[in-house]
PDB file of all heavy atoms in Angstrom:
ATOM      1  N   SER A 496     156.392  66.587 103.826  1.00 97.00           N
ATOM      2  CA  SER A 496     156.599  67.287 102.579  1.00 97.00           C
ATOM      3  C   SER A 496     157.491  68.509 102.672  1.00 97.00           C
ATOM      4  O   SER A 496     157.886  69.072 101.669  1.00 97.00           O
ATOM      5  CB  SER A 496     155.257  67.699 101.980  1.00 97.00           C
ATOM      6  OG  SER A 496     154.570  68.587 102.878  1.00 97.00           O
ATOM      7  N   GLU A 497     157.865  68.892 103.899  1.00 97.00           N
ATOM      8  CA  GLU A 497     158.650  70.086 104.147  1.00 97.00           C
ATOM      9  C   GLU A 497     160.047  69.773 104.610  1.00 97.00           C
ATOM     10  O   GLU A 497     160.791  70.664 105.024  1.00 97.00           O
ATOM     11  CB  GLU A 497     157.947  71.005 105.088  1.00 97.00           C
ATOM     12  CG  GLU A 497     156.606  71.552 104.542  1.00 97.00           C
ATOM     13  CD  GLU A 497     155.889  72.459 105.535  1.00 97.00           C
ATOM     14  OE1 GLU A 497     156.418  72.691 106.625  1.00 97.00           O
ATOM     15  OE2 GLU A 497     154.785  72.926 105.197  1.00 97.00           O
ATOM     16  N   ILE A 498     160.427  68.462 104.590  1.00 97.00           N
ATOM     17  CA  ILE A 498     161.810  68.126 105.013  1.00 97.00           C
ATOM     18  C   ILE A 498     162.795  68.824 104.055  1.00 97.00           C
ATOM     19  O   ILE A 498     162.786  68.582 102.871  1.00 97.00           O
ATOM     20  CB  ILE A 498     162.007  66.604 104.968  1.00 97.00           C
ATOM     21  CG1 ILE A 498     161.026  65.888 105.888  1.00 97.00           C
ATOM     22  CG2 ILE A 498     163.469  66.250 105.394  1.00 97.00           C
ATOM     23  CD1 ILE A 498     161.000  64.385 105.749  1.00 97.00           C
ATOM     24  N   SER A 499     163.632  69.662 104.631  1.00 96.00           N
ATOM     25  CA  SER A 499     164.500  70.487 103.764  1.00 96.00           C
ATOM     26  C   SER A 499     165.964  70.075 103.795  1.00 96.00           C
ATOM     27  O   SER A 499     166.751  70.569 103.002  1.00 96.00           O
ATOM     28  CB  SER A 499     164.421  71.975 104.227  1.00 96.00           C
ATOM     29  OG  SER A 499     164.802  72.118 105.593  1.00 96.00           O
ATOM     30  N   GLU A 500     166.332  69.145 104.720  1.00 97.00           N
ATOM     31  CA  GLU A 500     167.728  68.742 104.824  1.00 97.00           C
ATOM     32  C   GLU A 500     167.830  67.216 104.616  1.00 97.00           C
ATOM     33  O   GLU A 500     167.185  66.460 105.322  1.00 97.00           O
ATOM     34  CB  GLU A 500     168.289  69.115 106.211  1.00 97.00           C
ATOM     35  CG  GLU A 500     168.370  70.593 106.462  1.00 97.00           C
ATOM     36  CD  GLU A 500     168.886  70.918 107.856  1.00 97.00           C
ATOM     37  OE1 GLU A 500     169.859  70.242 108.265  1.00 97.00           O
ATOM     38  OE2 GLU A 500     168.336  71.806 108.480  1.00 97.00           O
ATOM     39  N   TYR A 501     168.676  66.861 103.690  1.00 98.00           N
ATOM     40  CA  TYR A 501     168.805  65.421 103.381  1.00 98.00           C
ATOM     41  C   TYR A 501     169.365  64.650 104.550  1.00 98.00           C
ATOM     42  O   TYR A 501     168.931  63.514 104.820  1.00 98.00           O
ATOM     43  CB  TYR A 501     169.664  65.197 102.122  1.00 98.00           C
ATOM     44  CG  TYR A 501     169.643  63.742 101.660  1.00 98.00           C
ATOM     45  CD1 TYR A 501     168.654  63.330 100.786  1.00 98.00           C
ATOM     46  CD2 TYR A 501     170.559  62.831 102.128  1.00 98.00           C
ATOM     47  CE1 TYR A 501     168.594  62.001 100.404  1.00 98.00           C
ATOM     48  CE2 TYR A 501     170.480  61.498 101.768  1.00 98.00           C
ATOM     49  CZ  TYR A 501     169.484  61.093 100.879  1.00 98.00           C
ATOM     50  OH  TYR A 501     169.456  59.768 100.501  1.00 98.00           O
ATOM     51  N   ASP A 502     170.319  65.216 105.246  1.00 97.00           N
ATOM     52  CA  ASP A 502     170.936  64.495 106.371  1.00 97.00           C
ATOM     53  C   ASP A 502     169.941  64.191 107.471  1.00 97.00           C
ATOM     54  O   ASP A 502     170.031  63.083 108.081  1.00 97.00           O
ATOM     55  CB  ASP A 502     172.109  65.337 106.927  1.00 97.00           C
ATOM     56  CG  ASP A 502     173.298  65.360 105.997  1.00 97.00           C
ATOM     57  OD1 ASP A 502     173.351  64.563 105.061  1.00 97.00           O
ATOM     58  OD2 ASP A 502     174.204  66.206 106.276  1.00 97.00           O
ATOM     59  N   LYS A 503     168.999  65.086 107.739  1.00 97.00           N
ATOM     60  CA  LYS A 503     167.993  64.788 108.754  1.00 97.00           C
ATOM     61  C   LYS A 503     167.060  63.669 108.280  1.00 97.00           C
ATOM     62  O   LYS A 503     166.653  62.800 109.038  1.00 97.00           O
ATOM     63  CB  LYS A 503     167.139  66.046 109.030  1.00 97.00           C
ATOM     64  CG  LYS A 503     167.896  67.091 109.860  1.00 97.00           C
ATOM     65  CD  LYS A 503     166.991  68.231 110.218  1.00 97.00           C
ATOM     66  CE  LYS A 503     167.710  69.230 111.139  1.00 97.00           C
ATOM     67  NZ  LYS A 503     166.850  70.353 111.511  1.00 97.00           N
ATOM     68  N   TYR A 504     166.768  63.706 106.982  1.00 98.00           N
ATOM     69  CA  TYR A 504     165.923  62.628 106.397  1.00 98.00           C
ATOM     70  C   TYR A 504     166.650  61.299 106.545  1.00 98.00           C
ATOM     71  O   TYR A 504     166.075  60.303 106.958  1.00 98.00           O
ATOM     72  CB  TYR A 504     165.672  62.928 104.922  1.00 98.00           C
ATOM     73  CG  TYR A 504     165.387  61.709 104.116  1.00 98.00           C
ATOM     74  CD1 TYR A 504     164.139  61.031 104.194  1.00 98.00           C
ATOM     75  CD2 TYR A 504     166.340  61.182 103.266  1.00 98.00           C
ATOM     76  CE1 TYR A 504     163.913  59.876 103.442  1.00 98.00           C
ATOM     77  CE2 TYR A 504     166.135  60.019 102.547  1.00 98.00           C
ATOM     78  CZ  TYR A 504     164.938  59.380 102.631  1.00 98.00           C
ATOM     79  OH  TYR A 504     164.697  58.237 101.902  1.00 98.00           O
ATOM     80  N   MET A 505     167.933  61.263 106.177  1.00 98.00           N
ATOM     81  CA  MET A 505     168.711  60.042 106.213  1.00 98.00           C
ATOM     82  C   MET A 505     168.866  59.518 107.642  1.00 98.00           C
ATOM     83  O   MET A 505     168.900  58.312 107.877  1.00 98.00           O
ATOM     84  CB  MET A 505     170.067  60.262 105.576  1.00 98.00           C
ATOM     85  CG  MET A 505     170.818  58.977 105.266  1.00 98.00           C
ATOM     86  SD  MET A 505     169.927  57.934 104.072  1.00 98.00           S
ATOM     87  CE  MET A 505     170.141  56.291 104.826  1.00 98.00           C
ATOM     88  N   TYR A 506     169.003  60.433 108.607  1.00 98.00           N
ATOM     89  CA  TYR A 506     169.123  60.010 110.029  1.00 98.00           C
ATOM     90  C   TYR A 506     167.845  59.217 110.425  1.00 98.00           C
ATOM     91  O   TYR A 506     167.944  58.214 111.116  1.00 98.00           O
ATOM     92  CB  TYR A 506     169.293  61.251 110.925  1.00 98.00           C
ATOM     93  CG  TYR A 506     169.418  60.895 112.353  1.00 98.00           C
ATOM     94  CD1 TYR A 506     170.658  60.498 112.925  1.00 98.00           C
ATOM     95  CD2 TYR A 506     168.313  60.940 113.211  1.00 98.00           C
ATOM     96  CE1 TYR A 506     170.758  60.195 114.254  1.00 98.00           C
ATOM     97  CE2 TYR A 506     168.415  60.631 114.545  1.00 98.00           C
ATOM     98  CZ  TYR A 506     169.664  60.256 115.074  1.00 98.00           C
ATOM     99  OH  TYR A 506     169.750  59.912 116.389  1.00 98.00           O
ATOM    100  N   TYR A 507     166.706  59.717 109.955  1.00 98.00           N
ATOM    101  CA  TYR A 507     165.460  59.025 110.286  1.00 98.00           C
ATOM    102  C   TYR A 507     165.396  57.643 109.639  1.00 98.00           C
ATOM    103  O   TYR A 507     165.022  56.652 110.249  1.00 98.00           O
ATOM    104  CB  TYR A 507     164.236  59.848 109.815  1.00 98.00           C
ATOM    105  CG  TYR A 507     162.954  59.319 110.316  1.00 98.00           C
ATOM    106  CD1 TYR A 507     162.377  59.782 111.498  1.00 98.00           C
ATOM    107  CD2 TYR A 507     162.232  58.348 109.595  1.00 98.00           C
ATOM    108  CE1 TYR A 507     161.163  59.262 111.973  1.00 98.00           C
ATOM    109  CE2 TYR A 507     161.040  57.831 110.052  1.00 98.00           C
ATOM    110  CZ  TYR A 507     160.510  58.288 111.252  1.00 98.00           C
ATOM    111  OH  TYR A 507     159.327  57.772 111.706  1.00 98.00           O
ATOM    112  N   GLU A 508     165.803  57.576 108.378  1.00 98.00           N
ATOM    113  CA  GLU A 508     165.807  56.267 107.684  1.00 98.00           C
ATOM    114  C   GLU A 508     166.765  55.291 108.393  1.00 98.00           C
ATOM    115  O   GLU A 508     166.424  54.113 108.501  1.00 98.00           O
ATOM    116  CB  GLU A 508     166.243  56.464 106.230  1.00 98.00           C
ATOM    117  CG  GLU A 508     165.241  57.181 105.340  1.00 98.00           C
ATOM    118  CD  GLU A 508     164.081  56.345 104.901  1.00 98.00           C
ATOM    119  OE1 GLU A 508     164.130  55.089 105.070  1.00 98.00           O
ATOM    120  OE2 GLU A 508     163.084  56.900 104.403  1.00 98.00           O
ATOM    121  N   ASP A 509     167.887  55.779 108.840  1.00 98.00           N
ATOM    122  CA  ASP A 509     168.822  54.923 109.575  1.00 98.00           C
ATOM    123  C   ASP A 509     168.226  54.436 110.910  1.00 98.00           C
ATOM    124  O   ASP A 509     168.482  53.292 111.304  1.00 98.00           O
ATOM    125  CB  ASP A 509     170.127  55.673 109.831  1.00 98.00           C
ATOM    126  CG  ASP A 509     171.095  55.677 108.650  1.00 98.00           C
ATOM    127  OD1 ASP A 509     170.954  54.764 107.810  1.00 98.00           O
ATOM    128  OD2 ASP A 509     171.931  56.585 108.553  1.00 98.00           O
ATOM    129  N   SER A 510     167.452  55.297 111.534  1.00 97.00           N
ATOM    130  CA  SER A 510     166.779  54.895 112.770  1.00 97.00           C
ATOM    131  C   SER A 510     165.788  53.778 112.542  1.00 97.00           C
ATOM    132  O   SER A 510     165.708  52.844 113.347  1.00 97.00           O
ATOM    133  CB  SER A 510     166.043  56.132 113.366  1.00 97.00           C
ATOM    134  OG  SER A 510     166.944  57.153 113.700  1.00 97.00           O
ATOM    135  N   VAL A 511     165.115  53.797 111.427  1.00 98.00           N
ATOM    136  CA  VAL A 511     164.187  52.730 111.048  1.00 98.00           C
ATOM    137  C   VAL A 511     164.951  51.441 110.764  1.00 98.00           C
ATOM    138  O   VAL A 511     164.561  50.372 111.188  1.00 98.00           O
ATOM    139  CB  VAL A 511     163.328  53.150 109.808  1.00 98.00           C
ATOM    140  CG1 VAL A 511     162.475  51.961 109.354  1.00 98.00           C
ATOM    141  CG2 VAL A 511     162.478  54.351 110.137  1.00 98.00           C
ATOM    142  N   ARG A 512     166.062  51.559 110.089  1.00 97.00           N
ATOM    143  CA  ARG A 512     166.861  50.355 109.788  1.00 97.00           C
ATOM    144  C   ARG A 512     167.337  49.639 111.053  1.00 97.00           C
ATOM    145  O   ARG A 512     167.434  48.437 111.066  1.00 97.00           O
ATOM    146  CB  ARG A 512     168.101  50.769 108.952  1.00 97.00           C
ATOM    147  CG  ARG A 512     167.797  51.041 107.481  1.00 97.00           C
ATOM    148  CD  ARG A 512     169.021  51.487 106.775  1.00 97.00           C
ATOM    149  NE  ARG A 512     168.816  51.557 105.342  1.00 97.00           N
ATOM    150  CZ  ARG A 512     169.677  52.091 104.498  1.00 97.00           C
ATOM    151  NH1 ARG A 512     170.791  52.646 104.939  1.00 97.00           N
ATOM    152  NH2 ARG A 512     169.423  52.112 103.182  1.00 97.00           N
ATOM    153  N   LYS A 513     167.635  50.453 112.062  1.00 97.00           N
ATOM    154  CA  LYS A 513     168.106  49.822 113.309  1.00 97.00           C
ATOM    155  C   LYS A 513     167.034  49.057 114.057  1.00 97.00           C
ATOM    156  O   LYS A 513     167.322  48.246 114.907  1.00 97.00           O
ATOM    157  CB  LYS A 513     168.708  50.903 114.224  1.00 97.00           C
ATOM    158  CG  LYS A 513     169.981  51.533 113.679  1.00 97.00           C
ATOM    159  CD  LYS A 513     170.447  52.720 114.525  1.00 97.00           C
ATOM    160  CE  LYS A 513     171.681  53.379 113.947  1.00 97.00           C
ATOM    161  NZ  LYS A 513     172.077  54.571 114.717  1.00 97.00           N
ATOM    162  N   LYS A 514     165.787  49.355 113.743  1.00 96.00           N
ATOM    163  CA  LYS A 514     164.668  48.761 114.463  1.00 96.00           C
ATOM    164  C   LYS A 514     163.977  47.613 113.702  1.00 96.00           C
ATOM    165  O   LYS A 514     163.118  46.950 114.277  1.00 96.00           O
ATOM    166  CB  LYS A 514     163.615  49.835 114.780  1.00 96.00           C
ATOM    167  CG  LYS A 514     164.117  50.946 115.741  1.00 96.00           C
ATOM    168  CD  LYS A 514     164.366  50.381 117.119  1.00 96.00           C
ATOM    169  CE  LYS A 514     164.785  51.484 118.070  1.00 96.00           C
ATOM    170  NZ  LYS A 514     163.685  52.329 118.493  1.00 96.00           N
ATOM    171  N   THR A 515     164.309  47.414 112.445  1.00 96.00           N
ATOM    172  CA  THR A 515     163.630  46.376 111.697  1.00 96.00           C
ATOM    173  C   THR A 515     164.584  45.750 110.653  1.00 96.00           C
ATOM    174  O   THR A 515     165.436  46.460 110.122  1.00 96.00           O
ATOM    175  CB  THR A 515     162.392  46.946 110.954  1.00 96.00           C
ATOM    176  OG1 THR A 515     161.758  45.927 110.216  1.00 96.00           O
ATOM    177  CG2 THR A 515     162.752  48.096 110.029  1.00 96.00           C
ATOM    178  N   VAL A 516     164.421  44.476 110.417  1.00 93.00           N
ATOM    179  CA  VAL A 516     165.339  43.756 109.489  1.00 93.00           C
ATOM    180  C   VAL A 516     165.159  44.246 108.049  1.00 93.00           C
ATOM    181  O   VAL A 516     166.129  44.502 107.341  1.00 93.00           O
ATOM    182  CB  VAL A 516     165.049  42.226 109.545  1.00 93.00           C
ATOM    183  CG1 VAL A 516     165.906  41.515 108.500  1.00 93.00           C
ATOM    184  CG2 VAL A 516     165.330  41.723 110.955  1.00 93.00           C
ATOM    185  N   CYS A 517     163.902  44.408 107.665  1.00 97.00           N
ATOM    186  CA  CYS A 517     163.605  44.871 106.273  1.00 97.00           C
ATOM    187  C   CYS A 517     162.624  46.041 106.364  1.00 97.00           C
ATOM    188  O   CYS A 517     161.421  45.841 106.449  1.00 97.00           O
ATOM    189  CB  CYS A 517     163.013  43.740 105.431  1.00 97.00           C
ATOM    190  SG  CYS A 517     162.703  44.187 103.709  1.00 97.00           S
ATOM    191  N   PRO A 518     163.140  47.275 106.340  1.00 98.00           N
ATOM    192  CA  PRO A 518     162.302  48.462 106.505  1.00 98.00           C
ATOM    193  C   PRO A 518     161.084  48.508 105.528  1.00 98.00           C
ATOM    194  O   PRO A 518     159.993  48.855 105.942  1.00 98.00           O
ATOM    195  CB  PRO A 518     163.264  49.629 106.221  1.00 98.00           C
ATOM    196  CG  PRO A 518     164.581  49.078 106.650  1.00 98.00           C
ATOM    197  CD  PRO A 518     164.577  47.644 106.234  1.00 98.00           C
ATOM    198  N   ILE A 519     161.317  48.243 104.253  1.00 98.00           N
ATOM    199  CA  ILE A 519     160.253  48.349 103.293  1.00 98.00           C
ATOM    200  C   ILE A 519     159.130  47.320 103.542  1.00 98.00           C
ATOM    201  O   ILE A 519     157.941  47.585 103.272  1.00 98.00           O
ATOM    202  CB  ILE A 519     160.778  48.232 101.809  1.00 98.00           C
ATOM    203  CG1 ILE A 519     159.731  48.753 100.814  1.00 98.00           C
ATOM    204  CG2 ILE A 519     161.215  46.815 101.496  1.00 98.00           C
ATOM    205  CD1 ILE A 519     159.473  50.249 100.908  1.00 98.00           C
ATOM    206  N   GLU A 520     159.501  46.170 104.059  1.00 97.00           N
ATOM    207  CA  GLU A 520     158.518  45.158 104.411  1.00 97.00           C
ATOM    208  C   GLU A 520     157.663  45.666 105.617  1.00 97.00           C
ATOM    209  O   GLU A 520     156.429  45.480 105.607  1.00 97.00           O
ATOM    210  CB  GLU A 520     159.210  43.823 104.752  1.00 97.00           C
ATOM    211  CG  GLU A 520     158.250  42.649 104.966  1.00 97.00           C
ATOM    212  CD  GLU A 520     157.559  42.197 103.722  1.00 97.00           C
ATOM    213  OE1 GLU A 520     158.095  42.397 102.594  1.00 97.00           O
ATOM    214  OE2 GLU A 520     156.413  41.670 103.820  1.00 97.00           O
ATOM    215  N   TRP A 521     158.349  46.236 106.595  1.00 98.00           N
ATOM    216  CA  TRP A 521     157.616  46.809 107.751  1.00 98.00           C
ATOM    217  C   TRP A 521     156.705  47.938 107.268  1.00 98.00           C
ATOM    218  O   TRP A 521     155.541  47.985 107.660  1.00 98.00           O
ATOM    219  CB  TRP A 521     158.589  47.335 108.805  1.00 98.00           C
ATOM    220  CG  TRP A 521     157.908  48.074 109.895  1.00 98.00           C
ATOM    221  CD1 TRP A 521     157.321  47.546 111.001  1.00 98.00           C
ATOM    222  CD2 TRP A 521     157.680  49.499 109.943  1.00 98.00           C
ATOM    223  NE1 TRP A 521     156.751  48.540 111.779  1.00 98.00           N
ATOM    224  CE2 TRP A 521     156.935  49.731 111.116  1.00 98.00           C
ATOM    225  CE3 TRP A 521     157.996  50.556 109.121  1.00 98.00           C
ATOM    226  CZ2 TRP A 521     156.536  51.008 111.499  1.00 98.00           C
ATOM    227  CZ3 TRP A 521     157.577  51.835 109.459  1.00 98.00           C
ATOM    228  CH2 TRP A 521     156.864  52.067 110.651  1.00 98.00           C
ATOM    229  N   GLU A 522     157.223  48.816 106.431  1.00 98.00           N
ATOM    230  CA  GLU A 522     156.443  49.938 105.990  1.00 98.00           C
ATOM    231  C   GLU A 522     155.180  49.516 105.240  1.00 98.00           C
ATOM    232  O   GLU A 522     154.119  50.126 105.446  1.00 98.00           O
ATOM    233  CB  GLU A 522     157.314  50.803 105.026  1.00 98.00           C
ATOM    234  CG  GLU A 522     156.655  52.110 104.530  1.00 98.00           C
ATOM    235  CD  GLU A 522     155.820  51.901 103.266  1.00 98.00           C
ATOM    236  OE1 GLU A 522     155.972  50.877 102.590  1.00 98.00           O
ATOM    237  OE2 GLU A 522     155.024  52.801 102.958  1.00 98.00           O
ATOM    238  N   SER A 523     155.288  48.510 104.394  1.00 96.00           N
ATOM    239  CA  SER A 523     154.134  48.031 103.608  1.00 96.00           C
ATOM    240  C   SER A 523     153.010  47.605 104.548  1.00 96.00           C
ATOM    241  O   SER A 523     151.836  47.900 104.279  1.00 96.00           O
ATOM    242  CB  SER A 523     154.567  46.905 102.679  1.00 96.00           C
ATOM    243  OG  SER A 523     155.480  47.341 101.743  1.00 96.00           O
ATOM    244  N   LYS A 524     153.350  46.900 105.632  1.00 96.00           N
ATOM    245  CA  LYS A 524     152.331  46.422 106.551  1.00 96.00           C
ATOM    246  C   LYS A 524     151.870  47.557 107.514  1.00 96.00           C
ATOM    247  O   LYS A 524     150.689  47.683 107.791  1.00 96.00           O
ATOM    248  CB  LYS A 524     152.898  45.287 107.399  1.00 96.00           C
ATOM    249  CG  LYS A 524     153.242  44.030 106.582  1.00 96.00           C
ATOM    250  CD  LYS A 524     153.937  42.975 107.417  1.00 96.00           C
ATOM    251  CE  LYS A 524     154.333  41.761 106.579  1.00 96.00           C
ATOM    252  NZ  LYS A 524     155.072  40.767 107.378  1.00 96.00           N
ATOM    253  N   ALA A 525     152.827  48.381 107.926  1.00 97.00           N
ATOM    254  CA  ALA A 525     152.514  49.462 108.884  1.00 97.00           C
ATOM    255  C   ALA A 525     151.605  50.521 108.247  1.00 97.00           C
ATOM    256  O   ALA A 525     150.703  51.026 108.957  1.00 97.00           O
ATOM    257  CB  ALA A 525     153.806  50.099 109.386  1.00 97.00           C
ATOM    258  N   TRP A 526     151.814  50.827 106.970  1.00 97.00           N
ATOM    259  CA  TRP A 526     150.977  51.831 106.312  1.00 97.00           C
ATOM    260  C   TRP A 526     149.537  51.342 106.260  1.00 97.00           C
ATOM    261  O   TRP A 526     148.605  52.132 106.578  1.00 97.00           O
ATOM    262  CB  TRP A 526     151.474  52.107 104.900  1.00 97.00           C
ATOM    263  CG  TRP A 526     150.911  53.367 104.322  1.00 97.00           C
ATOM    264  CD1 TRP A 526     151.467  54.581 104.338  1.00 97.00           C
ATOM    265  CD2 TRP A 526     149.629  53.501 103.687  1.00 97.00           C
ATOM    266  NE1 TRP A 526     150.638  55.530 103.715  1.00 97.00           N
ATOM    267  CE2 TRP A 526     149.514  54.915 103.337  1.00 97.00           C
ATOM    268  CE3 TRP A 526     148.577  52.629 103.378  1.00 97.00           C
ATOM    269  CZ2 TRP A 526     148.384  55.370 102.701  1.00 97.00           C
ATOM    270  CZ3 TRP A 526     147.441  53.134 102.726  1.00 97.00           C
ATOM    271  CH2 TRP A 526     147.350  54.502 102.394  1.00 97.00           C
ATOM    272  N   ILE A 527     149.300  50.099 105.920  1.00 96.00           N
ATOM    273  CA  ILE A 527     147.960  49.556 105.844  1.00 96.00           C
ATOM    274  C   ILE A 527     147.333  49.522 107.246  1.00 96.00           C
ATOM    275  O   ILE A 527     146.139  49.838 107.401  1.00 96.00           O
ATOM    276  CB  ILE A 527     147.984  48.140 105.244  1.00 96.00           C
ATOM    277  CG1 ILE A 527     148.437  48.205 103.779  1.00 96.00           C
ATOM    278  CG2 ILE A 527     146.621  47.470 105.341  1.00 96.00           C
ATOM    279  CD1 ILE A 527     148.675  46.833 103.130  1.00 96.00           C
TER     280      ILE A 527
END
């Protein structure tokens, strides 16, 4: 909730993309 820089946020999202074919599909299962 305190992420203050968009570029840092986007770097993390890109890191997730590199590790999974469909990030939102992984997230849905991983959160549960």
Side-chain angles (χ1 to χ4, degrees):
S496 61
E497 296 178 1
I498 300 170
S499 60
E500 296 178 41
Y501 189 88
D502 288 347
K503 286 186 177 180
Y504 155 75
M505 194 62 223
Y506 180 83
Y507 189 92
E508 290 284 346
D509 279 336
S510 298
V511 173
R512 281 177 172 170
K513 292 173 183 177
K514 296 292 183 76
T515 179
V516 176
C517 183
I519 196 67
E520 187 68 28
W521 173 84
E522 184 273 344
S523 296
K524 296 174 182 176
W526 196 95
I527 295 172

